[in-house]
Amino acid sequence: MYLIKIPLNIHAFLRCLNFPSLIGLCGFMALNFTANADDGTPTGLIQSLSGKDASSWAGPQPYGVNLGGWAASGINYNTANPTDRSNGPVSMTDRAGEFHLYQMNLFIEKAVVKDTTWDVGGRFDFMFGTDTRYTQATGHWDTELISQRDLRFYDIALPQAYVEVFAPIGNGLSGKFGHFYGIIGYESVPSPLNFFSSHSYSFKSSPFTATGALFSYALDDQWSLNLGAVTGADNFARDLGAMSHTSGLTWTNAKTGTTVSFSVLQGDVYKNQGSDLVYYSAILQQNLGKWHYVLQHDRGTQQNAIAQGQNAEWYSVVQYLTYQVADTWGLGVRGEWFRDHNGVRYLAGAAN
């Protein structure tokens, strides 16, 4: 991980049904007070500026605890020039012609060592910015930490706070217990993991976080399995009795550079009414040298989402193609077809 990294990402986000086009410019900076595990060379923002090894005096680093974070900011232009400067129904990069801090994320983490003995770790993330409004969990976890009347579009989210345990059972079993990012979808909330600064409709319609327990197990060198019990999509403690199960299966072939995964979340949204939510995501990834191709299909259904007895359905197909021109920059294009069959996900009526 580069400790200071400020790439510029120019993208075109095209949408149907007279939705405007967005052209955005995004900057990204990451900092991490740890050592590089590959070659032992310390990397960090402090070292980059001062030439001094910050990892030796970062405090918890000798105990395997890492401190780090990143900041992502940007501005975009909306060809429709909305008077309210809203890019809705686009989420996250949802303000036109305004420079915003999307994410300032700080974390403390102790990664588990997956070896021949038991190990305990965990992670806690603190996020501030405009993306946090879409990253918070229902149930009085992080929705009322500050007043939006004071900071307009800015808020605080605590997207991860979990303990992780590794057990040397079979090929190694690890379990997360607490609040963490879910396993569904290709795009992610953390900015460093995404190629584009904008997000697809499919991403916005999918669950971001989960609360409960998630177990991961490598069946062999190619197959891995996830299985968990959580309190639903983006929920902390709204209805503790409305539990869901989440699971995923991944196959990876290192020789061909192919990865195929399937993940699902299923369970009631509310405790005292029929509100079964089923959401799945199927993803194909293919590496071809400097090229990387992704094909993703999502589908979601929910009972009584509109009114009593009226169900909702939405589905999508997204494709990504990126080319790594150099170590520090690349080119990419994304195409998406999203069907909001009942007009529930974006409250804009049934639309493609």
Side-chain angles (χ1 to χ4, degrees), residues 41 107 241 247 344:
T41 303
F107 67 85
S247 58
V344 173

Side-chain angles (χ1 to χ4, degrees), residues 66-147:
N66 300 333
L67 303 174
W70 63 84
S73 60
I75 186 172
N76 63 72
Y77 170 70
N78 190 326
T79 58
N81 293 317
T83 55
D84 59 358
R85 295 196 172 184
S86 172
N87 290 330
V90 171
S91 63
M92 293 197 172
T93 51
D94 59 355
R95 302 298 301 170
E98 296 179 353
F99 183 84
H100 281 289
L101 173 66
Y102 299 142
Q103 297 180 11
M104 183 188 69
N105 193 104
L106 302 175
F107 67 85
I108 180 171
E109 176 187 35
K110 181 184 181 300
V112 294
V113 177
K114 299 180 179 181
D115 202 348
T116 58
T117 60
W118 288 73
D119 195 27
V120 178
R123 177 165 172 143
F124 178 82
D125 281 73
F126 170 92
M127 182 185 292
F128 175 79
T130 58
D131 286 358
T132 57
R133 291 173 293 142
Y134 303 97
T135 314
Q136 295 171 325
T138 56
H140 304 289
W141 168 243
D142 54 5
T143 56
E144 300 176 357
L145 297 179
I146 59 176
S147 173

Side-chain angles (χ1 to χ4, degrees), residues 19-36:
F19 290 158
S21 299
L22 301 179
I23 300 177
L25 184 67
C26 179
F28 169 71
M29 180 179 71
L31 56 151
N32 189 9
F33 303 102
T34 64
N36 189 315

Side-chain angles (χ1 to χ4, degrees), residues 152-299:
R152 200 170 173 228
F153 302 108
Y154 288 80
D155 213 326
I156 290 175
L158 306 176
Q160 295 199 112
Y162 64 83
V163 173
E164 185 172 9
V165 179
F166 175 78
I169 301 174
N171 295 324
L173 175 68
S174 62
K176 291 181 179 179
F177 306 91
H179 188 63
F180 42 80
Y181 286 122
I183 60 175
I184 290 179
Y186 174 68
E187 295 181 21
S188 67
V189 172
S191 294
L193 303 179
N194 297 312
F195 184 90
F196 296 99
S197 59
S198 66
H199 287 287
S200 65
Y201 288 106
S202 178
F203 170 77
K204 175 57 176 69
S205 71
S206 66
F208 294 160
T209 63
T211 304
L214 177 66
F215 297 92
S216 302
Y217 184 77
L219 300 175
D220 54 30
D221 293 338
Q222 293 185 330
W223 293 91
S224 61
L225 176 68
N226 289 298
L227 184 63
V230 297
T231 58
D234 303 308
N235 176 38
F236 185 77
R238 180 186 54 220
D239 283 335
L240 288 178
M243 297 296 294
S244 302
H245 79 82
T246 183
S247 58
L249 185 64
T250 301
W251 175 77
T252 301
N253 189 324
K255 294 182 179 180
T256 62
T258 307
T259 299
V260 179
S261 63
F262 181 85
S263 54
V264 64
L265 174 73
Q266 187 273 326
D268 284 326
V269 177
Y270 302 103
K271 178 180 178 181
N272 298 319
Q273 71 178 59
S275 54
D276 186 58
L277 169 68
V278 180
Y279 195 107
Y280 73 75
S281 180
I283 304 172
L284 165 68
Q285 299 187 57
Q286 181 64 55
N287 285 323
L288 298 169
K290 293 185 177 182
W291 293 93
H292 184 69
Y293 172 74
V294 180
L295 173 64
Q296 174 180 342
H297 165 57
D298 286 13
R299 181 178 182 270

